[in-house]
Amino acid sequence: MNKELTKYLSSGHSACAGCGFPAIVRAILGEAKDEVVVANATGCLEVTSTLYPYTAWKTPWIHNAFENAAATMSGVERAYAILKRKNKLPGGDKKIKFVAFGGDGGTYDIGLQSLSGALERGHNFLYVLYDNEGYMNTGNQRSSATPYGAATETTPAGRASFGKTEMRKNLMDIVNAHHIKYLAQANVAYMADLKKKAQKALAVEGPSFLSVFSPCTNNWKFPTSQYVAIAILATETNFWPLYEVENGKHKITLEPKNVKPLTDFLKTQGRFKHLFSEKNKPVIDRMQRIANEEFARLVSLTEKEI
Amino acid sequence: MTKDIKKLALTGGAAAAEALKQIEPEVMPIYPITPQTPIIETYAKFQADGEVDTEMIKVESEHSAMSAAIGASAAGARVVTATSSQGLALMHEVLYIASGTRLPILMLISARALGAPINIHGDHSDVMGCRDSGWLQIFCENAQEVYDKTIIGMKLAEKVNLPVMVIMDGFNTSHSVENLEILETEMVKHFMGERIAIAPLLDTANPVSYGPVALQNSYFEFKIDQEAAMLGATAEYEKIANEYEKISGRHYGCFESYQAEDAERIMVLTGSATGTAKVVVDKLRQRGEKVGLVKIELFRPFMHVELATILKNAKEIIVLDRAQSIGTNAPFHSEVINTLYEANEIKKVKSFIYGLGGRDIFQTQIEDVFMGKQKDKYIK
Ligand SMILES: Cc1ncc(C[n+]2csc(CCOP(=O)(O)OP(=O)(O)O)c2C)c(N)n1
Ligand code: SF4
Ligand SMILES: [Mg+2]
């Protein structure tokens, strides 16, 4: 594999072929100008990258537990601050950027408090959420990022169920409420956009946040060759809009010219298969409404700020 | 070095903070809980007055306090935190990660009851709940010991690459003012030296991965190694305590034996109640009763052979626990039975529980226990 690409995360990790996150990690860290230290929440990325005695990480990396990547990084980052101040950094003075990676479960759910605390305290780090919309490492259970209507192992479709009955929560709004300088929503299929956002996020002194769409071939149930195509559909249907909030200003960074119907996205994946029945037509209708309304709300936020 | 004596009147919490001021840890993630708060508040004031340079991270929970401590220790810094009760219970998950990752962290504990029902006062339920977590546990009897063992504990943690708890009784010790001697700051700094971190995370030229997945083929070995490190820590503790004795004149060990050499009845206990029990021992000795006591100082690791030697000549062992182990024998009681069984000694062992939720224990009650007048297992 290309040396530059694998500068931080090598090949030979055990993520599924066609998984979204290796490309996300590489794209983001590839934009780093300084040395990088990584913290990782428990989840697929962590498990597939450090099976002892092997590690795919070529940069310092720490995994602590599921819910505490941000708190762990708080400690690492403050240790850096004081050791730098006291001229005690191993290997001499240098600039280090701190990057935490967490899945949606480790970020929206169990790690939300730890993330909120670290953002509020203003630590100098970038937190990257790779969002595969469920607890994948434990075999596909719902999280609060799982979309309404999706079937998971804890929200299975059945005679009396159409899958998840709740809307995903808007984590970007929650993160934005911490008044951080830069946060953005990106998608693994839009590399140029993702890299640009990574550059901006890494340049911030203080906390910054990236929420990146990360298809899961295994549990969304689609062929391994399709993750980019499916990720593109997520944005082209306005299911996953690309935007940023810079110094409080919302901006849509890539607006689809011809918005496709949401079903174009839904029909590519096994987790939505049950929705294509007569009985579940209202569910699809509601999903489309949610996507429309959420996008309209986002547009109104950008307009308000002009 | 010569011994410079400075006497102060301090609470246990303030004594801990005084020792920390001299140690001047690099990172201190903190979260408030009674009766630990005097430690962190006193330290925060030192910081505010520019007397120390420490990164105090005012986290949003104890779980995050320990998580940040783990991150900072992996990074290579000298790290301290403090908690009590519910806070320690909330940390439970990450306590094991600190010890399993072999990270030196010093944690001061003002031991307190656990809910429910909620109670802010002293007992040992909180620290007993994590006695298998791989942390060294050192108990203190009074403020002097808190000061001394804070210094010993910090050095020990960094020497053995394991986390250490230094435990004082909530309120009885943490909030009671006592006279104590402190050392010159320079002397403490010299005693402590600098932390030499093994493979710190911030050594970007030599990247390491902390906290990997270890499966059936390696997990077991990690745990065997961890236990060996824990057992080996006793010798280091004794060595450091001896060095400390040279500069302070105060001796600490795994156990303190008080009038136990020729005693027929020996009481085993720890913490602030030991002071009261010593007074009772003296009184009973004057009346010709052959009684003595053993104070547990180093509870984890637990040195059974050493305890067996102290208990050897006694006919009756009386164990006082300030915690339950609901459904089986109380913690110290279990250890003492283990000690005697392993030493092939059959002795009468009586077990009592006292002081739950901050209930006082009085000299008369301890005397009744020694004299066989206390029938109920609970000294209420
Ligand atoms: C405290 C705790 N609860 C539960 C688990 C089990 N667990 C491990 S990974 C995981 C799911 C991770 O989901 P997510 O954060 O979305 O990452 P993904 O695996 O999807 O990449 C769960 C539930 C755990 N390790 N720790
Ligand atoms: S289960 Fe999904 S998220 Fe996990 S490695 Fe496989 S594709 Fe990636
Ligand atoms: Mg997930």
Side-chain angles (χ1 to χ4, degrees):
Chain A
M1 220 187 221
N2 180 316
K3 255 214 176 110
E4 261 314 295
L5 257 184
T6 56
K7 187 171 160 203
Y8 298 96
L9 181 71
S10 77
S11 55
H13 58 72
S14 59
C16 305
C19 172
F21 61 63
I24 295 172
V25 172
R26 290 182 178 134
I28 293 170
L29 297 184
E31 296 307 314
K33 302 261 184 306
D34 307 310
E35 307 278 350
V36 175
V37 172
V38 171
N40 204 166
T42 312
C44 272
L45 170 60
E46 166 264 329
V47 165
T48 59
S49 60
T50 57
L51 185 54
Y52 185 85
Y54 305 109
T55 179
W57 295 91
K58 296 184 190 167
T59 202
W61 178 93
I62 183 168
H63 161 247
N64 185 341
F66 186 17
E67 65 281 55
N68 62 1
T72 305
M73 207 43 132
S74 305
V76 177
E77 185 264 343
R78 284 297 90 194
Y80 166 72
I82 191 159
L83 294 178
K84 189 176 169 73
R85 189 156 78 234
K86 292 189 169 176
N87 219 350
K88 279 164 63 175
L89 282 178
D93 192 41
K94 65 196 139 185
K95 208 159 174 230
I96 302 181
K97 191 70 204 185
F98 298 93
V99 184
F101 289 94
D104 47 290
T107 308
Y108 281 74
D109 290 344
I110 198 165
L112 184 60
Q113 172 186 315
S114 156
L115 172 64
S116 172
L119 296 176
E120 183 269 337
R121 292 189 298 273
H123 293 285
N124 187 18
F125 79 123
L126 161 61
Y127 190 102
V128 180
L129 151 71
Y130 67 97
D131 192 345
N132 53 26
E133 307 195 315
Y135 297 163
M136 298 328 185
N137 185 48
T138 37
N140 189 25
Q141 297 84 19
R142 68 86 91 176
S143 76
S144 59
T146 304
Y148 171 81
T152 70
E153 298 300 327
T154 50
T155 59
R159 246 174 303 164
S161 162
F162 61 82
K164 191 183 176 215
T165 52
E166 302 81 25
M167 269 174 76
R168 23 180 315 129
K169 90 177 156 211
N170 193 323
L171 186 66
M172 286 288 284
D173 281 4
I174 296 171
V175 170
N176 192 31
H178 292 78
H179 319 293
I180 67 173
K181 285 192 192 134
Y182 188 80
L183 63 152
Q185 184 154 287
N187 183 332
V188 66
Y190 294 84
M191 273 291 160
D193 179 78
L194 171 60
K195 287 180 182 176
K196 209 164 151 202
K197 287 171 176 165
Q199 278 168 19
K200 287 188 177 187
L202 287 163
V204 170
E205 286 290 327
S208 55
F209 181 82
L210 292 177
S211 157
V212 192
F213 195 66
S214 181
C216 169
T217 164
N218 201 26
N219 296 314
W220 294 8
K221 301 178 181 73
F222 61 79
T224 53
S225 60
Q226 292 305 300
Y227 89 85
V228 174
I230 285 170
I232 288 173
L233 282 170
T235 294
E236 287 184 337
T237 56
N238 278 345
F239 176 83
W240 190 269
L242 303 183
Y243 68 103
E244 64 187 10
V245 188
E246 194 169 5
N247 296 316
K249 293 215 180 322
H250 286 71
K251 184 182 161 198
I252 296 171
T253 55
L254 199 145
E255 201 169 341
K257 289 200 182 71
N258 303 305
V259 179
K260 292 184 172 158
L262 187 62
T263 45
D264 284 11
F265 172 67
L266 301 181
K267 70 187 178 201
T268 57
Q269 301 151 62
R271 62 177 173 155
F272 299 122
K273 195 169 160 213
H274 61 286
L275 297 178
F276 292 89
S277 66
E278 203 41 45
K279 184 182 73 155
N280 283 336
K281 196 167 173 307
V283 179
I284 292 195
D285 291 346
R286 172 142 193 243
M287 290 176 89
Q288 182 68 65
R289 269 202 313 280
I290 292 171
N292 296 349
E293 284 166 15
E294 279 296 294
F295 193 75
R297 197 179 67 89
L298 183 62
V299 170
S300 79
L301 283 171
T302 63
E303 283 164 355
K304 243 183 264 159
E305 287 161 2
I306 288 168
Chain B
M1 238 179 254
T2 53
K3 202 181 131 194
D4 279 303
I5 298 174
K6 190 171 162 202
K7 286 202 184 230
L8 292 176
L10 295 174
T11 61
E18 195 64 33
L20 291 181
K21 181 167 93 180
Q22 298 179 317
I23 293 169
E24 204 180 0
E26 282 150 347
V27 180
M28 202 165 150
I30 50 160
Y31 192 83
I33 184 167
T34 305
Q36 156 263 32
T37 38
I39 306 171
I40 61 167
E41 290 172 357
T42 309
Y43 199 83
K45 188 73 169 83
F46 293 150
Q47 174 87 357
D49 291 339
E51 295 188 55
V52 289
D53 184 14
T54 296
E55 285 292 339
M56 295 187 83
I57 314 177
K58 285 109 191 198
V59 288
E60 78 303 328
S61 75
E62 287 89 352
H63 194 284
S64 286
M66 186 45 61
S67 301
I70 288 168
S73 185
R78 176 165 284 169
V79 184
V80 173
T81 185
T83 194
S84 295
S85 182
Q86 311 303 125
L88 185 58
L90 186 59
M91 285 180 184
H92 193 74
E93 178 199 31
V94 269
L95 292 179
Y96 286 76
I97 294 172
S99 61
T101 313
R102 301 286 312 273
L103 295 172
I105 296 166
L106 173 68
M107 177 152 61
L108 289 149
I109 311 280
S110 289
R112 165 186 149 179
L114 281 175
I118 191 163
N119 174 299
I120 61 164
H121 293 282
D123 74 28
H124 298 155
S125 309
D126 53 1
V127 286
M128 289 304 149
C130 50
R131 62 192 193 269
D132 291 340
S133 65
W135 282 63
L136 279 84
Q137 293 184 312
I138 302 172
F139 277 94
C140 304
E141 179 184 328
N142 50 38
Q144 180 71 66
E145 289 194 10
V146 171
Y147 171 81
D148 294 333
K149 288 174 176 174
T150 298
I151 296 166
I152 292 172
M154 184 81 255
K155 182 160 175 156
L156 177 60
E158 292 177 359
K159 179 77 199 175
V160 298
N161 286 297
L162 283 171
V164 174
M165 284 179 206
V166 170
I167 304 158
M168 71 191 91
D169 285 3
F171 287 102
N172 307 85
T173 305
S174 67
H175 285 62
S176 303
V177 177
E178 293 174 62
N179 290 319
L180 63 133
E181 289 179 9
I182 68 162
L183 301 172
E184 290 285 317
T185 298
E186 274 316 304
M187 197 182 260
V188 174
K189 289 218 186 302
H190 183 261
F191 179 76
M192 289 302 309
E194 297 270 331
R195 175 175 174 203
I196 300 158
I198 301 169
L201 196 63
L202 296 179
D203 187 359
T204 46
N206 301 289
V208 283
S209 294
Y210 272 82
V213 184
L215 297 181
Q216 293 91 327
N217 59 345
S218 60
Y219 179 88
F220 210 153
E221 280 71 23
F222 275 109
K223 291 289 137 183
I224 293 169
D225 287 354
Q226 189 185 340
E227 184 159 43
M230 177 64 130
L231 293 175
T234 310
E236 291 299 339
Y237 167 70
E238 287 175 329
K239 217 162 102 189
I240 292 169
N242 286 340
E243 284 169 34
Y244 189 74
E245 186 176 357
K246 284 192 196 124
I247 59 167
S248 68
R250 289 181 291 277
H251 173 79
Y252 298 109
C254 300
F255 301 97
E256 180 191 338
S257 153
Y258 188 81
Q259 302 280 12
E261 294 72 25
D262 63 338
E264 287 169 2
R265 281 163 288 161
I266 296 182
M267 182 175 282
V268 178
L269 77 172
T270 197
S272 56
T274 317
T276 314
K278 283 176 181 168
V279 175
V280 177
V281 166
D282 290 347
K283 226 197 247 170
L284 292 177
R285 280 269 168 180
Q286 274 175 13
R287 288 191 348 218
E289 302 288 346
K290 287 194 146 182
V291 295
L293 66 80
V294 181
K295 177 174 83 185
I296 298 173
E297 298 197 70
L298 184 68
F299 178 59
R300 282 291 180 274
F302 197 90
M303 301 313 288
H304 292 285
V305 176
E306 211 161 302
L307 180 61
T309 312
I310 302 172
L311 300 180
K312 192 149 186 50
N313 299 319
K315 297 203 174 72
E316 184 179 306
I317 317 298
I318 301 159
V319 189
L320 260 62
D321 274 278
R322 204 178 179 181
Q324 301 159 293
S325 179
I326 293 177
T328 184
N329 295 326
F332 289 176
H333 183 203
S334 287
E335 298 299 352
V336 168
I337 292 171
N338 287 343
T339 295
L340 295 174
Y341 184 87
E342 284 180 8
N344 218 352
E345 299 265 10
I346 295 178
K347 292 184 194 292
K348 192 163 170 190
V349 180
K350 289 182 176 172
S351 157
F352 298 94
I353 289 172
Y354 73 99
L356 297 185
R359 183 78 53 94
D360 283 328
I361 184 164
F362 298 101
Q363 289 181 26
T364 50
Q365 292 172 309
I366 293 175
E367 186 175 330
D368 283 351
V369 171
F370 268 125
M371 299 312 292
K373 290 187 199 155
Q374 170 76 31
K375 299 293 176 213
D376 192 351
K377 164 178 157 187
Y378 301 102
I379 308 171
K380 293 177 287 196

